[in-house]
Amino acid sequence: MFGSHLSIAGAMHNALLDAEKYGMETVQVFTKNQQQWHAKPLDDAVIRGFRTHAERLKFNHIVAHDSYLINLGATNPELWQKSIDAFAEEMRRCDQLGIACLVTHPGAHVGSGIPAGIARVIEAMNRVLDQQKNGQVTVCLETTAGQGTTLGYRFEEIAEMLAGIERKDRVAVCVDTCHILAAGYDLSTAESTRKVLAELDRVIGADRVKVWHLNDSKKPLASRVDRHEHIGRGHIGLEAFAVICQDARFRRVPKILETPKDQAPNGRDWDELNLAILRKLTAGKKVVLEKFIEPPSHQDTKKQITTA
Ligand code: FE
Ligand code: ZN
Ligand code: FE
């Protein structure tokens, strides 16, 4: 089940229409401006528009990504509380729109250390889930690249968070391939990828993975720097994506592209190109990457929307 992070500019349901145009089975969206704390409440027409198209397209596994401002590991009490409130609001918006999964970066410990940061995240999640106890959306903790003091770059940290969160039925995991490579999990060959998947299954449990983010990485293994690259054109390469896409355990799991939205050469569209590659790899077909004369500039990934 493939999708991409698509823009809601103009109207929430525009992301669904674009996913339809690409022939995708799902989509990932922000439900508000990801760079701002507040958003005006969703009005009935917006909700109706989104739900109508989601239903028509039979999209039952739509994914949302939360705001980058939220830090449930914050040490500053005001920022922590603000993050909890904002995250609860994100969950409410997902429920209003009928979105199944809300992906979140677990947070940053900002100097307090990993154990204290994890404890803070667990406490925040338990409060939010208690507050939203009648909600529907599943919170998916995303594996991170480990930039700065971000938490969740080791599978063990994610597992610890899962263990501490009381509502097991409301929490799961999103694995981002670019992030885990940057964090030190070797996805450079089919064999190394199978080992990483075995470790993922042992530490977290493959059944806990409810979303995949399929991105190649501009930065090398264990660089701890998060820079997304087009499928097959970074330090991951095609083999890992073939292994993941062909894995029966993840067949029904949304696989979302968060690759750059820059213009492909010759008027081509990167989402279309990357999706076609993933479909071929899923079918076990050989993929030869098209050679573009001018290497695409990935510096400006903020042109349309930024996903991390
Ligand atoms: Fe991601
Ligand atoms: Zn990222
Ligand atoms: Fe993310």
Side-chain angles (χ1 to χ4, degrees):
M1 191 186 306
F2 293 109
S4 175
H5 187 109
L6 296 173
S7 171
I8 55 162
M12 277 291 319
H13 67 258
N14 282 348
L16 294 169
L17 298 181
D18 284 343
E20 179 181 24
K21 189 188 76 187
Y22 286 120
M24 294 168 172
E25 293 83 30
T26 186
V27 70
Q28 177 175 284
V29 293
F30 294 122
T31 69
K32 54 188 274 297
N33 184 324
Q34 79 279 16
Q35 312 282 10
Q36 286 171 17
W37 282 105
H38 299 290
K40 72 173 169 66
L42 294 163
D43 59 47
D44 289 345
V46 172
I47 295 168
R48 218 180 310 119
F50 193 84
R51 282 181 168 271
T52 302
H53 286 288
E55 217 166 287
R56 176 178 64 80
L57 295 166
K58 300 191 172 62
F59 282 11
N60 305 315
H61 293 81
I62 299 174
V63 182
H65 196 297
D66 75 336
S67 162
Y68 299 131
L69 299 173
I70 292 172
N71 181 10
L72 297 175
T75 49
N76 175 312
E78 272 157 50
L79 183 60
W80 191 63
Q81 189 57 51
K82 202 172 176 181
S83 295
I84 289 173
D85 295 342
F87 194 71
E89 180 60 26
E90 298 256 6
M91 290 179 76
R92 277 192 290 274
R93 292 171 83 87
C94 287
D95 284 340
Q96 286 179 303
L97 295 165
I99 291 173
C101 293
L102 173 60
V103 171
T104 179
H105 300 186
H109 67 71
V110 288
S112 67
I114 292 171
I118 290 174
R120 203 93 170 129
V121 172
I122 291 169
E123 171 70 16
M125 282 294 176
N126 281 333
R127 285 191 193 197
V128 169
L129 286 164
D130 189 48
Q131 202 181 314
Q132 298 296 112
K133 59 165 85 66
N134 298 319
Q136 295 290 316
V137 68
T138 300
V139 173
C140 292
L141 305 174
E142 181 173 2
T143 57
T144 64
Q147 284 200 142
T149 67
T150 48
L151 298 160
Y153 79 100
R154 300 292 311 163
F155 294 159
E156 286 78 6
E157 293 180 25
I158 298 280
E160 221 184 299
M161 292 176 204
L162 291 178
I165 296 169
E166 282 150 27
R167 288 293 303 268
K168 311 288 182 214
D169 56 324
R170 300 291 304 281
V171 68
V173 175
C174 166
V175 182
D176 186 311
T177 51
C178 166
H179 295 179
I180 65 173
L181 179 98
Y185 294 98
D186 185 3
L187 300 177
S188 62
T189 67
E191 200 194 334
S192 68
T193 300
R194 283 191 199 99
K195 280 189 192 145
V196 170
L197 292 182
E199 189 173 348
L200 175 69
D201 189 37
R202 182 174 55 78
V203 178
I204 291 176
D207 59 329
R208 308 298 296 144
V209 180
K210 300 291 184 204
V211 179
W212 276 92
H213 283 170
L214 299 186
N215 307 305
D216 211 321
S217 175
K218 272 191 224 307
K219 300 291 176 183
L221 179 68
S223 60
R224 311 250 321 241
V225 180
D226 176 14
R227 294 285 180 279
H228 299 189
E229 179 56 285
H230 296 293
I231 302 298
R233 294 173 191 268
H235 289 269
I236 294 179
L238 295 169
E239 288 186 15
F241 295 107
V243 168
I244 294 163
C245 289
Q246 290 171 17
D247 194 315
R249 295 171 296 180
F250 307 124
R251 189 168 300 145
R252 299 290 303 156
V253 175
K255 300 181 185 76
I256 308 288
L257 286 163
E258 296 178 315
T259 40
K261 298 290 187 191
D262 49 1
Q263 181 72 51
N266 310 328
R268 307 288 294 282
D269 184 296
W270 276 118
D271 269 337
E272 203 180 311
L273 293 167
N274 287 321
L275 178 66
I277 291 169
L278 293 177
R279 292 223 192 270
K280 273 193 181 172
L281 293 174
T282 306
K285 291 186 190 147
K286 190 172 153 44
V287 171
V288 181
L289 292 176
E290 288 183 60
K291 279 203 178 60
F292 294 120
I293 300 114
E294 201 158 330
S297 156
H298 305 306
Q299 295 313 311
D300 182 14
T301 55
K302 284 188 179 166
K303 259 181 214 160
Q304 291 182 26
I305 45 168
T306 311
T307 51

